[in-house]
């Protein structure tokens, strides 16, 4: 049997590679603490990555391991048996007892040899590097980060720990998003559905748009020869991700001479660059609209709600009872147990009011990423591709991207958009034949497929060109090559380039011919105006400098469309009724909006008032969406709609105690120690490209960023190699005692940047370069 990628009994000694040699890596820390790691094997490369990530973010990695070990309640407490920590623990303990991860590591699943030896070596090396750092500092008691100093939940890692965190990331938009509904599922009583606890996470998935995980997103441009001044390719990476916690990015440059050489960023705890560039190609990701799971409606056997029919024959659900220990306020712990029910499709899920478990029917889900063991191999091979055509071959072979699109460009000046992510195989024919009539509207509106689980003919099946059964093959997935540009800002594939819309793909991937978000429209408008020479920048094509200015120009597209009409409306009607029935004086709000510069810069006065208006649902249009002009419609404020002024009144009420004409940077900030760093950008609902989510604290302002622009890269690819700009908005380290805790955040505040440092000349020109080598038992 193979366990954690190693044949039982054949694991190398601790701190050793497969060939018996010790790990060794050279670390060159450049400005802002960005590590450039060189090693002669992938095991030693992983060793270097694990070491530097532990130096900068050990507490983040350790907490991720607590989560996937099902021990959050034990170490972080719980308010009761239905607490979020308890639900998380039950879910992940069940996965451990099911040996879900171990089953993915036999390397022979469905004919795809993954994980490869190189990837296994990287994981093994990462674990060794993390543990080497922990030993070198003398254990948790000597850590400098107060978040986990001397905490008993900090321990050495195992390979399975890291594989489990990887698996948790793969299922983020599938069964992990439905975690509450899986934990809550219980068979009905004789009198009706079981009194399942509320499953808010599952309900949120139902309400989400086109399957994009709540709160995540991104912008990306792939620019070809027709859009750049130098005639080569250029890529903008602008992922929007959390500023705290397990999904922070980490910048790094990784090199195995002659085999791999990539600069970019990865999620903390991952050993491979996931967004970045090599010498001749660059790429980014945006969250795709495609669904990652399908429902199966089960027809239950009368009198036995844990058995269901398939082709007229009953099948029994399997069960597993999982117990976790939860702290008792009176002292000690108390056991909390839950019995999970599984089918051959996957787990039974309950969403109260939508997908209930009755005596007649239940609902199971198939999460096609639950068996995705190909991701690190896919990213490794992406980093080795030389052109976007080679990149497509990687996408076709591995089909590894769990829930993201890819946007890329190469030095030859060709750009690529593809949603070649892992998507359940729901073709138009299957949807027509196997989604019962009551669920057809749900599929049309959201892409959520509820298949008839009583017929084997309605199983997902296999596309002949797919990497594994159950997912759409490359021929059924959207892709576009261009020499001008491609973009994505989390709407579907349809308008990757408006000159060549992508149409005719299964609904489960995303909507076509429908209204786009304001952020998508602004992203397209920015490119079109640049190429037409009608923006505020010289010329008609992009340089990396102009691309940087475009991203951080902080145009508020919603304001451009409706501000003047809104001001005219509130001037004519200076009072309005808020949602709570109170009458609100709008004169100061009108004056603030009249003087606003239509930007979300730190010096923009009144920007926060408009964004609160947008968040209150005030951007309502009078004209219709026109599929023939999707970038510019709709555009006129619905001034006759009472909801417009009501939203402005609500915004004024919410901002009580905060000057309506305040500078954005005075009220929207990010704390670093005793500093409050001014932050530009704002919410996508207002039509802001540089997305920042910074919740309002009544009477105070917006004092803490929770989500938004994270790793930003503008890189061009030319005959002399890559060059450009990049930044990690929240800085490299989560440790307040690190020199790299706030430096890039201050840089972001001023719209500054760090330069690409891919070549030896670029790296050696850095005045802050510091070099050291790590190896078994040594650090010098």
């Amino acid at each position: 049997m193979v366990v954690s990628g190693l044949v039982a009994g054949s694991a190398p000694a601790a701190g050793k590679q497969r060939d018996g040699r010790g790990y060794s890596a050279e670390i060159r820390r450049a400005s802002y603490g960005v590590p450039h790691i060189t090693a002669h094997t992938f095991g030693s490369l992983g060793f270097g990555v694990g070491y530097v990530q532990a130096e900068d973010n050990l507490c983040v990695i350790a907490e991720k391991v607590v989560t996937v070990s099902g021990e959050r309640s034990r170490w972080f407490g719980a308010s009761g048996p239905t607490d979020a920590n308890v639900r998380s623990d039950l879910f992940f303990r069940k996965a451990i007892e099911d040996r879900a991860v171990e089953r993915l590591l036999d390397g022979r699943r469905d004919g795809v040899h993954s994980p490869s030896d190189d990837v296994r070596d990287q994981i093994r090396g990462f674990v060794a590097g993390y543990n080497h750092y922990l030993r070198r500092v003398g254990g948790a008691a000597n850590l400098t980060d107060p978040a986990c100093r001397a905490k008993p939940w900090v321990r050495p890692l195992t390979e399975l720990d890291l594989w489990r965190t990887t698996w948790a990331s793969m299922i983020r938009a599938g069964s992990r998003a439905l975690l509450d509904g899986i934990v809550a599922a219980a068979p009905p009583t004789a009198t009706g559905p079981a009194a399942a606890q509320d499953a808010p996470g599952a309900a949120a998935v139902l309400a989400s748009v086109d399957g994009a995980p709540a709160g995540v997103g991104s912008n990306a441009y792939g620019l070809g020869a027709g859009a750049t001044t130098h005639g080569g390719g250029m890529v903008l990476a602008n992922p929007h991700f959390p500023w705290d916690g397990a999904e922070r990015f980490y910048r790094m440059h990784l090199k195995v001479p002659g085999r791999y050489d990539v600069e970019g960023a990865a999620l903390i705890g991952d050993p491979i660059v996931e967004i970045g560039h090599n010498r001749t190609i660059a790429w980014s990701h945006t969250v795709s609209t495609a669904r990652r799971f399908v429902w199966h409606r089960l027809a239950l056997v009368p009198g036995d709600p844990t058995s269901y029919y398939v082709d007229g024959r009953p099948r029994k659900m399997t069960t597993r009872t999982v117990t976790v220990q939860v702290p008792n306020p009176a002292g000690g712990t108390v056991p909390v147990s839950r019995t999970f029910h599984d089918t051959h499709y996957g787990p039974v899920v309950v969403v109260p009011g939508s997908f209930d478990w009755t005596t007649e029917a239940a609902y199971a889900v198939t999460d096609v990423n639950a068996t995705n063991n190909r991701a690190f191999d896919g990213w490794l091979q992406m980093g080795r591709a030389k052109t976007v055509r080679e990149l497509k071959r990687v996408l076709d072979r591995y089909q590894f991207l769990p829930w993201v699109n890819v946007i890329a460009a190469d030095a030859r000046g060709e750009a690529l958009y593809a949603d070649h992510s892992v998507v359940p195989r729901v073709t138009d024919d299957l949807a027509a034949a196997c989604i019962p009539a009551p669920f057809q509207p749900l599929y049309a509106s959201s892409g959520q497929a509820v298949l008839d689980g009583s017929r084997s003919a309605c199983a997902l099946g296999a596309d002949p060109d797919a990497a594994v059964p159950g997912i759409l093959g490359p021929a059924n997935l959207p892709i576009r090559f261009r020499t001008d540009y491609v973009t994505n800002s989390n709407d579907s594939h349809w308008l990757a380039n408006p000159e060549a819309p992508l149409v005719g793909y299964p609904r489960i991937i995303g909507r076509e011919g429908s209204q786009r978000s304001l952020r998508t429209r602004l992203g397209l408008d920015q490119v079109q105006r640049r190429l037409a020479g009608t923006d505020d920048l010289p010329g008609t094509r992009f340089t990396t400098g102009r691309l940087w200015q475009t991203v951080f120009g902080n145009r508020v597209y919603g304001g451009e469309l409706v501000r003047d009409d809104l001001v005219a409306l509130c001037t004519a009607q200076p009072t309005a009724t808020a949602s709570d029935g109170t009458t609100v004086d709008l004169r100061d709000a009108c004056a603030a909006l009249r003087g606003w510069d239509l930007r979300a810069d730190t010096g923009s006065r009144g920007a926060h008032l408009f964004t609160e208006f947008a968040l209150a649902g005030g951007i309502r249009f009078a004209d219709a969406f026109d599929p023939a002009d999707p970038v510019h419609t709709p555009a006129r404020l619905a001034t006759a709609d009472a909801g417009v002024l009501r939203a402005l009144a609500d915004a004024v009420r919410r901002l009580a105690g905060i000057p309506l004409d305040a500078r954005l940077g005075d009220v929207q900030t990010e704390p670093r120690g005793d500093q409050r760093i001014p932050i530009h950008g704002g919410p996508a609902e207002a039509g802001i490209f540089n997305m920042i989510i910074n919740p309002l604290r009544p009477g105070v302002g917006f004092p803490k960023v929770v989500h938004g622009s994270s790793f930003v890269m503008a890189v061009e690819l030319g005959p002399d190699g890559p060059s450009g700009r990049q930044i990690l908005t929240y800085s490299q380290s989560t440790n307040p005692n690190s020199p790299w805790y706030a430096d890039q955040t201050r840089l972001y505040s001023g719209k500054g940047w760090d330069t690409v440092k891919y070549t030896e000349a670029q790296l050696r020109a850095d005045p802050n370069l510091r070099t050291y080598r790590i190896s078994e038992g040594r650090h010098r």
Side-chain angles (χ1 to χ4, degrees):
M1 176 176 178
V2 179
V3 178
S4 193
L6 301 170
V7 178
S10 68
K16 298 295 183 183
Q17 303 188 67
R18 283 182 296 124
D19 61 8
R21 293 184 297 169
Y23 294 108
S24 179
E26 179 186 73
I27 313 295
R28 291 187 284 180
R29 289 271 193 176
S31 293
Y32 308 104
V34 177
H36 297 250
I37 305 169
T38 301
H40 291 287
T41 67
F42 282 100
S44 284
L45 187 67
F47 180 73
V49 176
Y51 188 92
V52 297
Q53 289 198 19
E55 279 190 300
D56 297 336
N57 296 291
L58 185 141
C59 297
V60 174
I61 300 170
E63 184 174 344
K64 289 177 71 171
V65 171
V66 169
T67 298
V68 299
S69 299
E71 296 183 336
R72 293 194 64 86
S73 301
R74 176 185 179 188
W75 298 119
F76 306 138
S79 61
T82 62
D83 184 90
N85 281 346
V86 177
R87 299 196 302 270
S88 173
D89 289 345
L90 288 164
F91 177 85
F92 283 108
R93 285 304 309 174
K94 197 244 185 193
I96 289 171
E97 294 182 20
D98 282 346
R99 300 178 65 82
V101 171
E102 289 91 331
R103 291 201 304 271
L104 298 183
L105 297 174
D106 63 15
R108 294 180 297 275
R109 289 190 61 85
D110 303 312
V112 177
H113 183 71
S114 287
S116 67
D117 289 342
D118 287 343
V119 165
R120 295 173 192 273
D121 288 346
Q122 281 182 284
I123 293 287
R124 192 176 300 120
F126 185 104
V127 168
Y130 176 102
N131 292 342
H132 179 63
Y133 174 79
L134 191 58
R135 286 193 304 270
R136 192 181 73 81
V137 299
N142 296 311
L143 295 172
T144 62
D145 191 340
C148 64
R149 181 194 300 128
K151 299 297 185 183
W153 46 270
V154 176
R155 59 168 174 79
L157 300 186
T158 69
E159 293 171 51
L160 271 178
D161 289 331
L162 211 59
W163 284 116
R164 285 171 180 153
T165 65
T166 300
W167 181 76
S169 182
M170 293 298 103
I171 63 170
R172 187 199 196 284
S175 49
R176 191 174 180 186
L178 292 165
L179 180 154
D180 291 330
I182 294 171
V183 174
T189 64
T191 58
Q197 68 185 53
D198 187 24
V205 172
L206 283 177
S208 69
V209 178
D210 285 343
V216 301
S218 302
N219 305 310
Y221 292 157
L223 306 176
T228 66
T229 59
H230 73 295
M234 189 180 296
V235 166
L236 165 71
N238 180 209
H240 303 147
F241 260 62
W243 276 38
D244 298 287
E247 293 181 317
R248 280 174 56 117
F249 283 101
Y250 185 83
R251 287 178 58 193
M252 55 189 184
H253 179 189
L254 307 183
K255 184 175 183 178
V256 177
R259 301 185 67 192
Y260 183 81
D261 189 357
V262 179
E263 181 182 24
L267 295 179
I268 293 173
D270 289 350
I272 195 78
V273 171
E274 291 153 341
I275 294 176
H277 66 90
N278 59 26
R279 187 173 184 84
T280 61
I281 188 172
W283 70 90
S284 190
H285 297 304
T286 59
V287 173
S288 157
T289 59
R291 292 286 172 177
R292 310 300 157 186
F293 60 88
V294 294
W295 302 89
H296 303 269
R297 185 185 186 279
L298 308 176
L300 301 181
V301 174
D304 183 3
T306 61
S307 294
Y308 58 102
Y309 289 111
V310 178
D311 296 334
R313 296 183 179 183
R315 296 187 68 151
K316 190 72 176 174
M317 297 177 187
T318 60
T319 61
R320 183 180 294 279
T321 300
V322 175
T323 301
V324 298
Q325 297 296 323
V326 177
N328 188 343
T333 61
V334 294
V336 173
S337 298
R338 188 64 48 86
T339 298
F340 294 83
H341 294 77
D342 285 293
T343 72
H344 74 290
Y345 297 117
V348 178
V349 183
V350 167
V351 180
S354 299
F355 293 97
D356 291 304
W357 191 344
T358 69
T359 56
E360 297 178 350
Y363 298 87
V365 295
T366 297
D367 178 352
V368 289
N369 273 308
T371 54
N372 181 3
N373 63 353
R374 307 176 300 280
F376 285 156
D377 275 297
W379 273 307
L380 179 64
Q381 297 305 324
M382 281 184 74
R384 290 168 160 169
K386 294 180 175 63
T387 67
V388 292
R389 299 285 172 166
E390 287 186 19
L391 177 55
K392 179 187 182 297
R393 290 195 286 272
V394 172
L395 297 173
D396 288 352
R397 168 157 173 71
Y398 289 93
Q399 290 195 258
F400 66 95
L401 294 171
W403 30 267
V404 291
N405 304 290
V406 60
I407 294 87
D410 62 31
R412 301 187 310 177
E414 190 169 28
L416 163 73
Y417 163 83
D419 188 347
H420 274 220
S421 54
V422 179
V423 185
R425 187 187 167 276
V426 180
T427 62
D428 290 342
D429 288 345
L430 185 70
C434 290
I435 298 178
F439 298 104
Q440 287 286 351
L442 177 66
Y443 184 65
S445 64
S446 72
Q448 294 195 73
V450 182
L451 302 176
D452 182 355
S454 69
R455 292 188 286 152
S456 60
C458 291
L460 291 176
D463 275 356
D465 59 339
V468 294
I471 66 175
L472 292 173
N476 275 318
L477 297 171
I479 189 165
R480 181 70 76 208
F481 293 98
R482 297 288 296 184
T483 56
D484 51 359
Y485 69 92
V486 293
T487 82
N488 188 263
S489 292
N490 307 124
D491 274 313
S492 76
H493 55 276
W494 177 49
L495 284 192
N497 184 303
E499 298 299 315
L502 286 160
V503 296
Y505 294 93
R507 175 62 185 89
I508 195 168
I509 302 174
R511 286 186 176 184
E512 299 169 2
S514 62
Q515 184 173 325
R516 304 289 93 174
S517 73
L518 289 174
R519 179 160 58 90
T520 289
R521 290 169 60 186
L522 175 58
L524 290 164
D525 182 71
Q526 288 176 157
V527 175
Q528 292 176 347
R529 290 180 61 180
R530 170 89 298 268
L531 299 185
T534 57
D535 62 9
D536 297 330
L537 302 173
T540 58
R541 296 190 180 192
F542 282 98
T543 65
T544 52
R546 292 170 189 166
L547 183 54
W548 201 259
Q549 289 173 280
T550 297
V551 176
F552 295 128
N554 287 326
R555 290 173 56 191
V556 182
Y557 194 54
E560 294 175 9
L561 295 176
V562 308
R563 189 273 305 269
D564 291 349
D565 286 344
L566 178 60
V567 168
L569 181 62
C570 65
T571 300
Q573 301 181 45
T575 62
T577 302
S579 295
D580 63 1
T582 58
T583 300
V584 177
D585 187 331
L586 300 178
R587 287 175 295 179
D588 289 345
C590 245
L593 290 172
R594 187 179 297 111
W596 172 44
D597 64 3
L598 299 176
R599 305 275 174 168
D601 290 330
T602 56
S604 297
R605 294 184 178 274
H608 60 299
L609 171 60
F610 186 81
T611 58
E612 284 299 304
F613 162 76
L615 289 169
I619 301 179
R620 302 180 179 205
F621 293 109
D623 53 330
F625 165 69
D626 181 359
D629 187 15
V631 178
H632 303 110
T633 61
R636 290 188 294 105
L637 184 67
T639 53
D641 188 332
V644 173
L645 283 186
R646 182 170 60 246
L648 184 58
D650 287 344
V652 172
R653 293 273 293 166
R654 283 176 52 80
L655 291 169
I658 301 168
L660 300 181
D661 63 348
R663 288 162 33 102
L664 182 62
D666 291 339
V667 296
Q668 179 168 277
T669 58
E670 169 69 11
R672 285 294 185 273
D674 58 0
Q675 282 189 306
R676 293 220 165 263
I677 300 173
I679 298 296
H680 52 92
E685 289 83 352
I688 300 174
F689 197 69
N690 174 29
M691 191 175 83
I692 289 291
I693 298 175
N694 196 327
L696 172 66
R697 184 182 297 174
V700 174
F702 308 83
K704 177 73 186 76
V705 180
V706 298
H707 197 95
S709 289
S710 51
F711 173 61
V712 187
M713 176 185 74
V715 60
E716 70 175 41
L717 304 150
D720 297 325
S723 61
R725 304 178 177 187
Q726 54 190 336
I727 193 172
L728 191 62
T729 58
Y730 37 66
S731 301
Q732 192 79 345
S733 176
T734 53
N735 181 353
N737 293 309
S738 167
W740 306 308
Y741 175 65
D743 50 356
Q744 290 186 77
T745 310
R746 290 190 289 267
L747 189 66
Y748 169 74
S749 178
K751 299 186 181 180
W753 65 87
D754 186 21
T755 57
V756 165
K757 297 181 177 69
Y758 183 80
T759 68
E760 281 297 307
Q762 291 166 339
L763 186 56
R764 288 173 181 169
D766 189 324
N768 301 308
L769 191 65
R770 179 173 65 92
T771 301
Y772 55 99
R773 178 168 290 279
I774 57 171
S775 58
E776 261 76 42
R778 292 183 294 174
H779 175 98
R780 62 180 187 274

